[in-house]
Amino acid sequence: MQRILLTAVFLVLGYGFWVSPDLKEIAAGVALFLFGMISLETGFKAFTGGALETVLRRSTDRLWKSIGFGIASTTLMQSSTLVSLVTISFVSAEMISLAAGIGIIMGANLGTTTGAWLIAGLGLRVDIAAYAMPMLVFGVILLLNRSRLLKGIGYLLLGIGFLFLGIHYMKEGFDALQDGFDLAAFAVPGLAGLLLFTAIGMAVTVIMQSSHATLLVIITALAAGQVTYDNALALAIGANLGSAFTTALGGLTANVGGKRLAVAHVLFNVMTAAVAIALIDQMAWAVDLISGWIGIAEDDFLLKLALFHTLFNLLGVLLLTPFVRQLERLLIRYVHYVPPPAEQPRFLFPESLNTPATAVTAVRNEVAHLYDNAHALIAHGMSLRRRVIDSDASLSEAVRHTRRIMPLDVDDIYEKKIKSLHSAIVAFIGEVQGREIAEHWTERLYDLQQASRAIVEAVKATKHLHKNLSRYGVSPNPPVREHYDGIRVQIAKLLREIGQLRTEEPGAVTSLSLDSLRVGLEKSSLEHMHSINRMIRDRQIPPHIATSLMNDDAYAYEIGEKLIAASRTLLVSDEPGDRIAEETLALDDRDIERIAHESKPAEQAAAGETSR
Amino acid sequence: MKTKKLLAKLADFMHKDRVAQREELERIREVLKKLKKKEQQLREKLEADPDEEERRELMGKLDVVHAQRIKGVERVKEIRDSRREPNADKVPEI
């Protein structure tokens, strides 16, 4: 379908260029304008370096703030596409609510109307091509720099330069066209014209993927008299409608949050367009009235068009704002979430790659998903049900009452639920690191990759431990049974405590709690070592079982160590300052060993003394 | 703004490291406050006469939180000394 459309566009344009040299100039203007938009988006992405994300997260707790953010960011960046895409990735990563996302999209729709004012008010009245040239030169010089910031500014300058140049070429093209060809002769009056030109505006926007570019065409064509004012209004409505479909296409590949937001965007724009079409006469009357109040001349159709564009978007925002919560509820109810199987990634979507913050959050969520899979596998590997570990029930009792060790094909589960996810995480991180991102994000991604690896290693250790547990876990020899029971309780406790910590807010204090688990692990390891020594000394176990116990203690220690390491990465917040504080206060290996030795029970201390 | 504060800001501006240190200091102080609160909660739980196993666990957690707080206070002192600003930053009590 896409290939056919592309071929058709090429053929039509090729024929047009052959027939009319003016069309060539107009099309080149549109192409330059679009390239300017792309440069501007690249510039903002490199330039903000996370500032946009930080502001977005902090300014969306109230609906009016979300709408305000949408207006301000789109006005500043002159790209509702960039704002919409970033918003979709934030909603997909569950970093902001759906209602906040709807607010931003509504605001972005209103913010994008400032573009029409700029083009109509400045673009066509001043010789902006003269400003474009130095911008392009300075832009390219800055682009040659290594600094991320300077490169970003370079892209911004290039973007603005190409936008100006695009506007200039379009103006020239339409002016030249005016001499030999009158498109206004194809004007269609009445409702048929309204619907036809709305459809044309929509189609042009879908093809160009930019409502800004469509508006530029409309305004320059209107300025050159190639389109009537009434038809221009309809084209503007169509441009608005078309931009929603561009976002909808982007939202289709996102997860459920992104899909819901894309549906909301389409609903909002369709509703706004329907109201504008239904009330076109009243809107035109209002435009005339307000134009009179603010001093726009009666025959200044360019500014009147910009005013119309603003008015009907404002009307849409006013109509929908009281119902945002209801719309959110409806979308959650009807746009369903079908969780993919446990072995498939749940958060690694291409949309998450839009910003470093969303990419890192997606990886973090996926590592947490991997941890959940490992949690279930390790719990079963210890022959305990997950619900027992996640409850308040006594773990010692549950372990003591075990009559048989659950059979488990650890290799199979490892291949299906662990290795496949780990590979997906590694591949996604590789893709993120291929883009230009700040150093602290690279470090965070490295930590997450290490966490993913630690989880895999914990599962591998479980595989080895499970073999001997199946053989000796319910041994008739009481000291052996007791020893394995101790190992199972130790790991189960660790899983429970980490599970509880994961329900708390990520931050330095939560991740510092893991040091207690490390001390507990060290103490258990010491206790187990003393217990094996005692059993050998008292000839309670044969040497081959003693070596199995020693190996299994080492596996249990490795499981604990790796799970704690992975959890630390998941529990610390993404704030660099928080991480510095956590690193400073966290206990090192020597501290852990010292505390574990100081707090060992008196009987063990005495045994330790006598064994020396 | 007082002259002293203005001078401190100017000094921060001249030395990038000082800004980083100030930020670190603030973060550590924040975490230390939370740890102190956590220590108090653990002590309250200990006073509620728990069983032997729970008591041992609580004692273990208390040892860890205390050790973390000592590390934090030492770092605060270290930063304060390197900033050579006696009395400029209050060292939290253990």
Side-chain angles (χ1 to χ4, degrees):
Chain A
M1 178 67 192
Q2 207 177 356
R3 212 176 287 169
I4 298 168
L5 192 72
L6 195 67
T7 317
V9 170
F10 266 67
L11 285 173
V12 170
L13 282 176
Y15 177 73
F17 294 161
W18 183 49
V19 171
S20 158
D22 301 329
L23 183 70
K24 227 179 332 192
E25 209 166 349
I26 296 169
V30 177
L32 285 172
F33 188 87
L34 285 173
F35 186 71
M37 296 278 293
I38 295 168
S39 297
L40 215 54
E41 283 179 17
T42 316
F44 270 112
K45 274 185 187 171
F47 186 55
T48 54
L52 173 68
E53 293 89 328
T54 314
V55 177
L56 199 150
R57 241 188 295 187
R58 287 181 188 165
S59 59
T60 49
D61 54 339
R62 305 283 288 273
L63 185 62
W64 65 267
K65 279 192 194 172
S66 305
I67 297 175
F69 175 82
I71 297 172
S73 54
T74 315
T75 305
L76 187 70
M77 296 193 268
Q78 286 297 305
S79 168
S80 61
T81 314
L82 179 63
V83 175
S84 303
L85 286 178
V86 170
T87 310
I88 286 184
S89 41
F90 267 69
V91 174
S92 300
E94 294 168 16
M95 287 162 85
I96 58 168
S97 70
L98 180 62
I102 298 173
I104 296 172
I105 295 281
M106 282 169 21
N109 260 30
L110 202 50
T112 199
T113 62
T114 52
W117 286 99
L118 286 176
I119 299 166
L122 273 177
L124 301 182
R125 287 160 209 259
V126 185
D127 180 20
I128 53 173
Y131 297 102
M133 302 304 171
M135 281 189 188
L136 292 176
V137 175
F138 290 132
V140 169
I141 293 171
L142 287 173
L143 214 60
L144 296 174
N145 271 280
R146 276 192 176 181
S147 152
R148 225 174 97 87
L149 186 75
L150 290 179
K151 256 188 185 180
I153 298 173
Y155 271 117
L156 289 184
L157 284 178
L158 268 186
I160 301 169
F162 277 120
L163 287 185
F164 283 6
L165 209 59
I167 294 172
H168 169 77
Y169 272 105
M170 287 204 56
K171 201 171 116 186
E172 297 281 306
F174 271 112
D175 283 346
L177 190 72
Q178 200 177 9
D179 300 334
F181 198 71
D182 188 14
L183 275 176
F186 297 95
V188 183
L191 184 65
L194 184 61
L195 294 177
L196 176 69
F197 277 83
T198 302
I200 293 172
M202 195 175 92
V204 171
T205 308
V206 171
I207 293 169
M208 294 203 288
Q209 306 264 305
S210 164
S211 60
H212 252 67
T214 313
L215 273 171
L216 172 69
V217 177
I218 302 167
I219 293 170
T220 35
L222 181 66
Q226 293 284 352
V227 64
T228 63
Y229 173 62
D230 289 345
N231 289 161
L233 298 187
L235 284 168
I237 298 172
N240 230 43
L241 216 45
S243 72
F245 286 101
T246 316
T247 319
L249 287 177
L252 280 181
T253 50
N255 72 353
V256 69
K259 281 194 181 89
R260 284 173 182 154
L261 191 61
V263 173
H265 194 185
V266 172
L267 282 177
F268 172 67
N269 283 34
V270 168
M271 188 204 75
T272 310
V275 172
I277 290 171
L279 302 176
I280 190 79
D281 292 335
Q282 289 80 348
M283 295 283 291
W285 173 80
V287 167
D288 288 340
L289 186 73
I290 298 170
S291 295
W293 290 344
I294 58 175
I296 296 174
E298 207 168 311
D299 57 348
D300 193 345
F301 293 115
L302 301 187
L303 286 182
K304 275 186 163 182
L305 177 69
L307 181 61
F308 171 77
H309 194 222
T310 306
L311 267 187
F312 87 80
N313 272 296
L314 182 68
L315 186 65
V317 172
L318 291 176
L319 284 174
L320 195 72
T321 302
F323 305 106
V324 167
R325 294 281 164 201
Q326 284 90 329
L327 180 64
E328 185 191 30
R329 273 201 292 274
L330 278 176
L331 288 169
I332 290 171
R333 195 166 158 193
Y334 291 109
V335 183
H336 293 293
Y337 174 59
V338 183
E343 55 266 31
Q344 277 178 23
R346 287 185 181 164
F347 302 93
L348 307 179
F349 292 95
E351 280 62 39
S352 314
L353 291 165
N354 279 335
T355 73
T358 49
V360 169
T361 306
V363 175
R364 184 197 180 118
N365 289 342
E366 206 56 62
V367 175
H369 175 209
L370 177 67
Y371 181 91
D372 288 338
N373 286 359
H375 174 99
L377 192 152
I378 296 170
H380 289 157
M382 295 305 111
S383 220
L384 287 166
R385 301 260 171 228
R386 222 179 140 170
R387 64 166 185 274
V388 175
I389 289 183
D390 297 341
S391 69
D392 289 334
S394 162
L395 292 169
S396 311
E397 286 293 308
V399 165
R400 205 178 303 137
H401 288 113
T402 307
R403 299 207 175 177
R404 69 180 191 103
I405 297 297
M406 288 182 208
L408 193 70
D409 189 348
V410 183
D411 273 326
D412 185 50
I413 302 176
Y414 168 73
E415 287 292 331
K416 278 186 185 161
K417 294 189 177 175
I418 305 294
K419 200 180 166 192
S420 58
L421 265 190
H422 177 57
S423 308
I425 290 167
V426 170
F428 192 84
I429 289 176
E431 203 160 329
V432 183
Q433 282 173 335
R435 293 158 189 242
E436 258 188 61
I437 54 170
E439 202 185 332
H440 72 274
W441 292 121
T442 313
E443 283 170 12
R444 189 81 183 110
L445 285 171
Y446 176 76
D447 289 348
L448 285 164
Q449 188 164 328
Q450 292 299 100
S452 179
R453 197 175 147 186
I455 294 170
V456 169
E457 282 166 3
V459 170
K460 281 186 177 169
T462 307
K463 187 174 94 176
H464 297 302
L465 177 58
H466 187 259
K467 266 187 201 161
N468 278 340
L469 196 63
S470 307
R471 207 180 296 169
Y472 306 119
V474 283
S475 165
N477 183 347
V480 175
R481 162 88 199 230
E482 259 173 46
H483 195 89
Y484 275 103
D485 281 0
I487 290 178
R488 289 172 61 205
V489 170
Q490 173 199 335
I491 293 174
K493 255 188 188 175
L494 199 80
L495 288 175
R496 179 180 279 179
E497 293 214 24
I498 291 176
Q500 283 166 353
L501 285 175
R502 286 182 65 209
T503 59
E504 291 174 20
E505 186 77 16
V509 178
T510 316
S511 66
L512 283 170
S513 303
L514 290 168
D515 281 347
S516 305
L517 300 187
R518 283 182 71 200
V519 171
L521 185 68
E522 201 63 41
K523 269 172 25 185
S524 298
S525 171
L526 283 171
E527 278 170 23
H528 289 160
M529 197 176 72
H530 286 297
S531 136
I532 295 174
N533 285 340
R534 199 181 54 237
M535 285 192 275
I536 296 171
R537 215 171 40 230
D538 299 346
R539 296 176 194 283
Q540 287 175 322
I541 50 167
H544 73 277
I545 293 187
T547 49
S548 290
L549 288 180
M550 282 175 184
N551 287 340
D552 292 335
D553 274 346
Y555 289 134
Y557 188 84
E558 193 181 348
I559 295 170
E561 200 183 24
K562 300 293 178 192
L563 288 183
I564 292 171
S567 309
R568 192 178 289 282
T569 309
L570 291 174
L571 289 174
V572 75
S573 78
D574 288 329
E575 289 275 317
D578 221 17
R579 293 176 66 202
I580 290 171
E582 194 263 353
E583 277 165 23
T584 310
L585 270 66
L587 303 184
D588 57 29
D589 291 346
R590 274 196 356 222
D591 296 327
I592 298 285
E593 220 171 288
R594 180 179 51 79
I595 296 174
H597 273 86
E598 278 172 3
S599 57
K600 65 184 171 185
E603 50 170 303
Q604 202 187 89
E609 290 302 318
T610 45
S611 67
R612 267 178 228 155
Chain B
M1 198 182 283
K2 285 181 184 170
T3 324
K4 207 173 169 184
K5 264 192 177 178
L6 264 174
L7 282 173
K9 283 216 177 269
L10 183 71
D12 281 351
F13 181 73
M14 303 296 280
H15 306 279
K16 218 177 170 183
D17 288 351
R18 284 177 65 100
V19 181
Q21 277 186 342
R22 184 185 280 272
E23 267 175 35
E24 189 185 346
L25 206 63
E26 278 167 16
R27 291 291 181 153
I28 293 176
R29 280 213 188 111
E30 235 172 75
V31 178
L32 281 174
K33 260 187 205 167
K34 288 180 185 166
L35 284 178
K36 194 172 183 180
K37 206 173 156 189
K38 192 179 167 185
E39 196 175 335
Q40 275 167 357
Q41 285 169 347
L42 288 170
R43 285 193 196 286
E44 277 166 22
K45 278 187 188 169
L46 255 182
E47 281 165 16
D49 207 18
D51 61 40
E52 186 50 32
E53 198 186 333
E54 203 182 334
R55 205 183 71 82
R56 269 179 59 187
E57 269 179 27
L58 288 171
M59 289 291 284
K61 283 181 182 172
L62 260 176
D63 287 343
V64 169
V65 174
H66 196 73
Q68 288 167 340
R69 287 189 58 214
I70 288 175
K71 276 190 99 171
V73 170
E74 275 169 7
R75 180 68 187 142
V76 169
K77 272 185 195 163
E78 208 178 288
I79 297 173
R80 193 201 63 178
D81 290 346
S82 72
R83 287 165 70 94
R84 293 172 196 277
E85 268 184 62
N87 306 324
D89 300 303
K90 222 175 104 188
V91 181
E93 285 171 20
I94 285 285

